[in-house]
Amino acid sequence: MDFSEEMDSGEEVDWIGIAAAVELEEVEAEAAAVKYAAAVAEAAASAARAKRKRERPHDSDDRQGIPPAFNLADVDPDPGTRKQIEEYATPEIRDEMRRAYLSKGVGRLYGHDFPRTLFGKDWRNFKEAWYKDYDWLEYSKETKSAYCFHCFLFKPPSIGDKFGHDVFTKKGFKNWKKAVEIFNAHVGGPNSAHNNARRRCEDFKNQKQSVSYAMTSHTEKSHIEYEERFRAVVGVVRFLVSQGLAFRGHDETTTSMNKGNFLEMLDWYAERCKDVADVVHKNAPGNHQLTCHKIQKQIVQACAEVTTKVIMTELGDSNFSLLVDESRDVSVREQMAVIVRFANQKGESLERLLGVKHVLDTTSASLKRSLDAMFVKHNLSMSRLRGQGYDGASNMRGELNGLKKLVLDVNPYAFYVHCFAHQLQLVVVAVVKGVLAVSDFFGHTNKIVNMVSALCKRKDALLQKHHDNLVLQLEHGEILSGKGEHQETSLARPGDTRWGSHHKTLIRIYQMWDSVVEVLHGISLDGADADDRGLASGFMINMETFEFVLILHLMLRVLGLTNDLSQALQQKDQNIVCAMNMIVSVKSLLQKLRDDGWEPFLISTTNFCAARNIIVPNIDDNISARGYPRRSRKMVTCLHHYKVTIFNEVLDRNIVEMNNRFSETSTRLLKCIACLDPRDSFSNFDHDKLVELANIYSIDFSSQELYLLTDQLNIYIDVMKRSTEFLACDSLSSLALKLVQSSQHLVFPLVYRLIRLALTLPVATASVERVFSAMNIIKTDLRNKMGDDWLNDLMVCFVEREIFAKISDKEIMVHFHALKNRRGHLPLQPRVQYAITS
């Protein structure tokens, strides 16, 4: 405002009015500045929400408040990108977010490769050791900065941009050169803003000190009744989750005859325990019965999160490998299962389910994004990854754009191992498709099984014929009776992808041969359909040929070897050294069968045919060569046809395919790992190759440790060969256990580190396949609208039942209360669970 004209005119100046006008202008300017700052903050928040929306396109909430089904998964685990607490609309929502972040804990990265920054002449970076000195310290992978957890949750809005507070909540701290000095200055004295925020955090976690609790008229008796009611509900939830059963019913009204598994079992529990009946039905408030669907899901969520915490505690700061696969569930949604494999402190190799996550598509980029999100959720770092195993699909193991390549770009030490069990399946498929006679044999076998087992009448006839034949053999003393012997059985229908089921089918045909032939004979005479009669007659004629019997016996031998190997490879505690040894053994047995097995094999086949009046051809007769028309007059002897074209061809293809498919056994990495094998008095021990193995995993060994490893290996092998206890070890797993039990892992820490790395490498993805089998139990046609979070929580508890069973009810109840404010409160002392009486 210009006052010069009024002063020059000599007129009396209204100084009071001028002062009021100036004050009004200042207020308006301040208001405009506040409005501008609010607009800038809203624009930043909108940009952050848009970024989160792009990263999580399937999320329904816009982060303006708490979604209807609030879940800890909605909380941003990265301190650099999360929304500030004061940006939420209402105090209730802010408290919900604080509780969610407190439940998830301080956001930290362990084992991460923290980037370095140049300060003057020195390169400096964030130190993981600072976590121990400052329990409030967080690190953001996105912004590469440090933050304060307590100030983020409870910084007073009036504190503004005073030193160390906006820096540790919004902007992020990066001055690593003076980190300790500034960390201490941020903490300050007893009444500093940081310590005030810390005290508010402690008070917030202790509900019994809150005003809302002080105003509530709960007595200790109501607390005890609440705990008893809660314990009964948790017991029912645990049973249903462990058995993979549904919770809800179609009609859950009080007059319904079937209110669903949860309510029906709770009523059953109350009927058999009077004390539970009192707290569940008689004394329970109408608005606090803990039976609504939302409460059920939150209890299961608490169960899953406590189970996952146990798994993360087992894992600790150890390195681990990754097993990933994807499959379509019953509602045609692609689900990705992630399992971590690691060696625990006892020296045991474990495989644990990390979670099941819905993916929008199965491209490698989409799988990598979902994998990164799961790693961030569980505070895991890719830098700790030492191996990855998939089933061989192109989107998984592709050399250019597969998930394997994307992970290797981040961490070159995450070595890929193709699933051994899957490769074994490919070996059998290649043999079956490559030998014409064998391919024709399995085609007829599948049709015979379908013909005999298609109708209930035929299946009953087959079982009765088999029963009569067993009784007759028992009477003649041809077989002996015993517990578990000669149980009722039927022909197993082979699967499309699991060749172990074909082995079972062939065993059943061999055991029930006479019964199958009699049923086919009955169909050919009395079948209602002329086509069936003709097919049954043709199948019977084909079965009773020498070639069919010979291929049956041959495939029983070959599939018997590969099936035993497949079952061994799919064990959870299997390790890479033992797997390689078994593969070498199977190849050796196949080669021995090929070289020396023809004569005994021919005798057993001939005896089988003679006992059933099947014509055995003269081995020197000429027959038409298979695959050639008769007019070509290409003839071969029966010996050449059966031995060379079938017997040798099947075994040669098996051996060649195993050498090609299991090429990993000849790679540099696995050759080095094989030197750790303790079998045959550590005969495979090779000093130079173990040093080379340490160089391959150079990230885990410093230059000084590599120098010390040379002498340590010499002392280690000398001690091992002098100890009868260690010479008795027949596998790498048993060696690791013995080392820990005898505390020798502390004497030879570098060698034990190599052993743990070998135990960490994956062998097969069978554990992931078991997860999908469990998913088919939990998510069925009747439960096909299950949400992703609900499915994940159920899957974690169901798959990891061994861990879940050891978790106490009290731990689940305490974690359930940590999720949000509850109307009820647990008493200070734990109560004893009531027993069910009949």
Side-chain angles (χ1 to χ4, degrees):
M1 178 178 287
D2 188 5
F3 306 112
S4 58
E5 293 183 2
E6 295 186 15
M7 296 177 66
D8 292 341
S9 63
E11 296 180 4
E12 185 178 353
V13 179
D14 184 6
W15 294 106
I16 297 177
I18 293 173
V22 171
E23 183 177 358
L24 179 61
E25 281 193 354
E26 291 176 350
V27 171
E28 289 177 348
E30 183 177 355
V34 171
K35 186 175 181 181
Y36 174 75
V40 171
E42 178 60 28
S46 299
R49 286 194 295 271
K51 179 182 178 183
R52 281 191 290 267
K53 192 67 177 176
R54 289 193 302 272
E55 294 174 349
R56 303 186 183 97
H58 56 282
D59 286 356
S60 59
D61 64 292
D62 59 359
R63 302 289 177 181
Q64 294 290 340
I66 301 298
F70 181 69
N71 192 298
L72 289 183
D74 298 317
V75 177
D76 191 344
D78 192 289
T81 58
R82 63 194 174 194
K83 186 176 178 179
Q84 296 296 308
I85 293 294
E86 60 265 23
E87 295 179 23
Y88 290 95
T90 65
E92 291 78 11
I93 296 176
R94 290 194 285 272
D95 284 348
E96 290 288 348
M97 296 306 299
R98 288 185 178 112
R99 191 169 291 104
Y101 277 109
L102 284 170
S103 178
K104 187 170 277 293
V106 183
R108 293 179 168 180
L109 291 176
Y110 289 98
H112 181 65
D113 185 14
F114 297 102
R116 298 190 301 167
T117 306
L118 184 63
F119 290 89
K121 297 181 180 180
D122 298 325
W123 290 92
R124 301 179 185 272
N125 63 344
F126 183 88
K127 302 296 182 184
E128 192 173 303
W130 291 337
Y131 287 147
K132 297 180 181 179
D133 299 327
Y134 306 98
D135 59 353
W136 48 266
L137 188 61
E138 299 182 292
Y139 183 83
S140 169
K141 184 178 179 181
E142 294 293 329
T143 63
K144 301 176 178 60
S145 306
Y147 295 85
C148 176
F149 184 62
H150 296 143
C151 291
F152 161 70
L153 293 176
F154 290 100
K155 186 197 77 171
S158 60
I159 198 171
D161 192 16
K162 292 185 179 179
F163 170 76
H165 293 92
D166 271 4
V167 171
F168 282 94
T169 56
K170 296 180 181 179
K171 300 175 183 178
F173 174 78
K174 297 182 179 180
N175 187 2
W176 311 129
K177 183 177 180 180
K178 300 182 179 180
V180 175
E181 177 185 347
I182 297 177
F183 288 166
N184 292 331
H186 171 72
V187 173
N191 295 321
S192 67
H194 170 83
N195 283 320
N196 287 334
R198 185 189 189 95
R199 282 189 290 271
R200 291 184 64 191
C201 181
E202 295 297 331
D203 292 342
F204 184 80
K205 289 192 291 185
N206 189 351
Q207 294 184 11
K208 293 199 172 186
Q209 293 181 2
S210 65
V211 177
S212 60
Y213 178 82
M215 296 176 63
T216 308
S217 59
H218 287 302
T219 63
E220 188 61 25
K221 180 180 178 182
S222 67
H223 296 170
I224 294 173
E225 289 179 349
Y226 168 74
E227 184 195 18
E228 292 167 353
R229 180 167 62 256
F230 193 10
R231 195 180 293 275
V233 171
V234 169
V236 173
V237 168
R238 294 186 67 149
F239 177 81
L240 296 178
V241 170
S242 299
Q243 298 301 316
L245 300 175
F247 278 63
R248 298 176 60 178
H250 178 67
D251 181 7
E252 295 187 347
T253 60
T254 55
T255 58
S256 174
M257 296 300 294
N258 186 358
K259 294 178 285 187
N261 292 332
F262 177 80
L263 294 178
E264 289 290 343
M265 189 172 180
L266 193 61
D267 291 344
W268 176 88
Y269 192 3
E271 287 177 3
R272 284 156 179 78
C273 185
K274 181 179 180 300
D275 296 311
V276 172
D278 291 340
V279 296
V280 171
H281 295 308
K282 184 177 179 181
N283 299 331
N287 61 348
H288 195 208
Q289 296 192 359
L290 299 175
T291 57
C292 72
H293 307 143
K294 185 177 180 181
I295 293 296
Q296 295 172 25
K297 290 186 175 182
Q298 289 176 358
I299 294 175
V300 175
Q301 177 187 344
C303 293
E305 290 176 357
V306 174
T307 303
T308 303
K309 282 185 178 180
V310 174
I311 294 174
M312 291 296 103
T313 303
E314 278 186 327
L315 176 60
D317 58 354
S318 303
N319 295 325
F320 59 92
S321 290
L322 202 62
L323 298 169
V324 181
D325 201 359
E326 47 83 19
S327 179
R328 193 172 288 181
D329 62 23
V330 70
S331 59
V332 199
R333 291 166 65 87
E334 292 290 348
Q335 303 289 350
M336 181 184 74
V338 179
I339 283 182
V340 290
R341 179 186 174 95
F342 58 94
N344 66 3
Q345 299 302 319
K346 298 180 181 178
E348 301 169 323
S349 56
L350 303 175
E351 293 181 357
R352 301 296 190 196
L353 175 64
L354 197 61
V356 177
K357 186 174 181 61
H358 169 58
V359 290
L360 297 179
D361 57 70
T362 57
T363 61
S364 57
S366 177
L367 295 176
K368 179 61 167 56
R369 285 194 298 270
S370 299
L371 187 62
D372 288 339
M374 193 170 290
F375 269 48
V376 171
K377 176 182 176 181
H378 297 290
N379 289 329
L380 295 175
S381 173
M382 281 284 181
S383 62
R384 294 167 57 188
L385 202 57
R386 293 295 176 267
Q388 45 181 330
Y390 314 122
D391 63 357
S394 59
N395 62 336
M396 292 292 190
R397 67 169 300 192
E399 298 293 336
L400 298 177
N401 297 312
L403 180 60
K404 160 196 167 183
K405 178 64 167 55
L406 297 179
V407 173
L408 284 173
D409 288 342
V410 178
N411 180 5
Y413 299 97
F415 296 105
Y416 171 74
V417 179
H418 190 175
C419 172
F420 279 29
H422 184 260
Q423 293 182 86
L424 190 61
Q425 297 290 330
L426 298 178
V427 169
V428 180
V429 171
V431 171
V432 171
K433 291 183 177 181
V435 183
L436 295 178
V438 176
S439 179
D440 185 51
F441 166 80
F442 276 106
H444 279 90
T445 301
N446 293 340
K447 293 175 183 178
I448 290 170
V449 172
N450 291 334
M451 173 66 71
V452 173
S453 304
L455 300 178
C456 298
K457 180 180 178 180
R458 296 174 186 174
K459 187 174 182 179
D460 292 341
L462 176 66
L463 295 177
Q464 186 60 46
K465 295 281 186 185
H466 185 56
H467 175 268
D468 295 342
N469 289 335
L470 288 176
V471 172
L472 190 62
Q473 289 175 351
L474 286 170
E475 291 176 351
H476 292 168
E478 297 176 9
I479 58 176
L480 299 177
S481 61
K483 185 177 181 180
E485 297 289 337
H486 315 304
Q487 299 294 311
E488 181 179 290
T489 184
S490 61
L491 293 183
R493 197 180 297 270
D496 294 331
T497 57
R498 294 296 179 187
W499 281 88
S501 62
H502 288 73
H503 181 238
K504 184 183 294 184
T505 300
L506 297 186
I507 291 175
R508 298 284 175 82
I509 290 177
Y510 179 82
Q511 293 173 339
M512 306 174 69
W513 180 277
D514 296 332
S515 304
V516 172
V517 172
E518 290 177 20
V519 171
L520 289 175
H521 177 64
I523 296 172
S524 66
L525 295 178
D526 305 325
D529 187 85
D531 292 338
D532 286 348
R533 290 197 298 270
L535 289 173
S537 176
F539 293 152
M540 183 174 60
I541 294 172
N542 187 272
M543 277 187 69
E544 295 187 315
T545 61
F546 181 78
E547 181 174 311
F548 189 94
V549 175
L550 182 136
I551 296 176
L552 173 65
H553 282 71
L554 176 60
M555 295 312 298
L556 281 173
R557 293 289 300 276
V558 173
L559 290 181
L561 288 173
T562 56
N563 186 63
D564 290 342
L565 175 60
S566 178
Q567 296 298 322
L569 290 175
Q570 294 178 47
Q571 295 176 4
K572 280 188 176 183
D573 58 349
Q574 192 57 265
N575 63 77
I576 200 78
V577 173
C578 188
M580 291 188 295
N581 288 332
M582 287 189 295
I583 291 168
V584 172
S585 297
V586 169
K587 287 194 286 189
S588 175
L589 290 172
L590 288 172
Q591 187 64 50
K592 184 178 180 181
L593 178 62
R594 195 247 190 240
D595 295 339
D596 307 321
W598 167 250
E599 293 296 336
F601 172 74
L602 181 62
I603 292 172
S604 65
T605 304
T606 303
N607 291 338
F608 183 89
C609 292
R612 290 159 179 81
N613 296 323
I614 298 174
I615 298 174
V616 178
N618 188 340
I619 211 71
D620 297 322
D621 288 348
N622 289 328
I623 58 174
S624 298
R626 189 182 186 94
Y628 291 88
R630 288 187 178 272
R631 66 174 178 270
S632 68
R633 297 185 179 181
K634 185 172 179 62
M635 307 295 288
V636 294
T637 62
C638 290
L639 177 63
H640 182 276
H641 174 67
Y642 295 129
K643 182 179 180 181
V644 178
T645 309
I646 297 177
F647 184 81
N648 288 350
E649 181 72 10
V650 167
L651 294 175
D652 287 344
R653 281 185 176 270
N654 257 290
I655 295 169
V656 171
E657 285 294 328
M658 289 193 75
N659 288 330
N660 293 337
R661 296 287 180 181
F662 292 101
S663 58
E664 284 89 347
T665 57
S666 60
T667 59
R668 175 190 174 201
L669 173 64
L670 297 192
K671 275 185 176 181
C672 294
I673 288 177
C675 298
L676 294 167
D677 188 6
R679 294 192 311 168
D680 300 328
S681 302
F682 295 85
S683 60
N684 289 331
F685 183 85
D686 189 313
H687 181 281
D688 294 335
K689 287 186 178 179
L690 290 178
V691 173
E692 183 181 357
L693 176 62
N695 281 294
I696 292 174
Y697 283 107
S698 58
I699 192 174
D700 296 308
F701 295 88
S702 65
S703 57
Q704 182 181 1
E705 288 175 332
L706 288 173
Y707 177 78
L708 296 174
L709 179 62
T710 302
D711 293 330
Q712 193 172 118
L713 283 170
N714 292 329
I715 302 172
Y716 162 79
I717 192 61
D718 185 69
V719 172
M720 294 297 106
K721 289 186 175 181
R722 291 175 181 272
S723 171
T724 56
E725 182 182 8
F726 289 104
L727 288 175
C729 295
D730 59 353
S731 68
L732 193 62
S733 301
S734 60
L735 174 62
L737 290 173
K738 287 288 185 184
L739 286 171
V740 174
Q741 291 169 2
S742 60
S743 299
Q744 291 293 315
H745 70 296
L746 302 177
V747 180
F748 306 108
L750 301 179
V751 180
Y752 182 67
R753 195 180 303 171
L754 290 175
I755 294 174
R756 290 192 67 177
L757 285 170
L759 292 174
T760 300
L761 280 179
V763 177
T765 59
S767 297
V768 190
E769 300 293 343
R770 294 188 189 101
V771 171
F772 293 134
S773 298
M775 184 172 67
N776 293 332
I777 295 174
I778 293 174
K779 191 167 185 178
T780 62
D781 290 331
L782 296 178
R783 305 173 72 187
N784 60 1
K785 295 184 179 179
M786 187 179 295
D788 294 332
D789 293 335
W790 178 233
L791 174 63
N792 176 73
D793 294 340
L794 292 173
M795 288 288 292
V796 169
C797 298
F798 184 77
V799 173
E800 301 298 343
R801 291 190 295 274
E802 183 179 355
I803 295 177
F804 181 49
K806 296 178 182 178
I807 297 173
S808 67
D809 292 345
K810 191 71 175 179
E811 291 178 83
I812 296 172
M813 294 159 70
V814 170
H815 192 83
F816 172 81
H817 273 258
L819 297 178
K820 62 176 294 184
N821 275 332
R822 305 291 178 184
R823 183 177 287 108
H825 297 271
L826 297 173
L828 294 176
Q829 298 298 327
R831 304 288 296 174
V832 179
Q833 186 174 6
Y834 293 112
I836 300 176
T837 57
S838 57

